[in-house]
Amino acid sequence: MIYAMFAMVVLTFMVGIVAVVTRVKSVKNGSVKIKYYRTMDGQEVPEQLTKSTRCFNNMFEVPVLFYVVSTLFVILKTNNELALLLAWVFVGFRIAQAIVHLTYNNVLHRMLMFWGAVISVLSMWVILLIQIA
């Protein structure tokens, strides 16, 4: 379980690096004025900048539920092979969602990856509750 959580942490940092690089490039090439970043408002910005920022923000939404349930499995010393598999399925869906989001950004594909991840983490919660009940 810890390795799956670490994989999510690595993914989050990778997406964060993409977001920072995109911001620096946008200022260097003049497509965004540096004062835009004070409030993230005040001008139109390139699509790639918006995508990378939103993708990074997404790394702190549903994944929080994943980190909590995974930590509970570890703390409670609850071993469950299906939950471990679902943890890796969750990570896989999140990687796929980030790739879609940062590249061709097809909304339907992104949504399918999102719901795959949500169902995976919800299933992990159900398994945990059944095991501790």
Side-chain angles (χ1 to χ4, degrees):
M1 200 69 67
I2 289 177
Y3 293 116
M5 287 191 293
F6 181 70
M8 276 303 302
V9 169
V10 170
L11 175 62
T12 301
F13 277 102
M14 290 172 64
V15 170
I17 289 167
V18 169
V20 168
V21 168
T22 303
R23 289 176 184 191
V24 169
K25 283 182 180 179
S26 72
V27 172
K28 281 187 174 182
N29 70 22
S31 61
V32 177
K33 295 177 182 171
I34 198 163
K35 73 177 191 173
Y36 167 80
Y37 293 105
R38 288 184 191 153
T39 60
M40 303 295 269
D41 194 25
Q43 81 174 77
E44 291 292 319
V45 297
E47 181 179 331
Q48 188 61 33
L49 178 64
T50 301
K51 287 192 314 187
S52 65
T53 299
R54 288 186 180 161
C55 188
F56 185 66
N57 291 343
N58 287 342
M59 293 292 133
F60 298 97
E61 294 170 353
V62 173
V64 169
L65 300 173
F66 169 75
Y67 290 126
V68 171
V69 73
S70 296
T71 301
L72 287 170
F73 270 103
V74 172
I75 289 171
L76 297 172
K77 296 179 181 166
T78 306
N79 294 321
N80 185 292
E81 293 298 318
L82 180 56
L84 182 58
L85 173 65
L86 287 166
W88 283 108
V89 168
F90 176 83
V91 171
F93 275 122
R94 293 303 302 194
I95 290 169
Q97 182 183 358
I99 291 169
V100 170
H101 203 164
L102 294 171
T103 57
Y104 67 100
N105 203 22
N106 180 290
V107 175
L108 177 59
H109 295 168
R110 219 173 70 214
M111 181 184 69
L112 290 172
M113 299 304 111
F114 170 81
W115 282 107
V118 166
I119 290 167
S120 298
V121 79
L122 177 60
S123 299
M124 289 175 68
W125 275 100
V126 169
I127 290 168
L128 180 66
L129 290 175
I130 289 170
Q131 280 203 255
I132 64 173

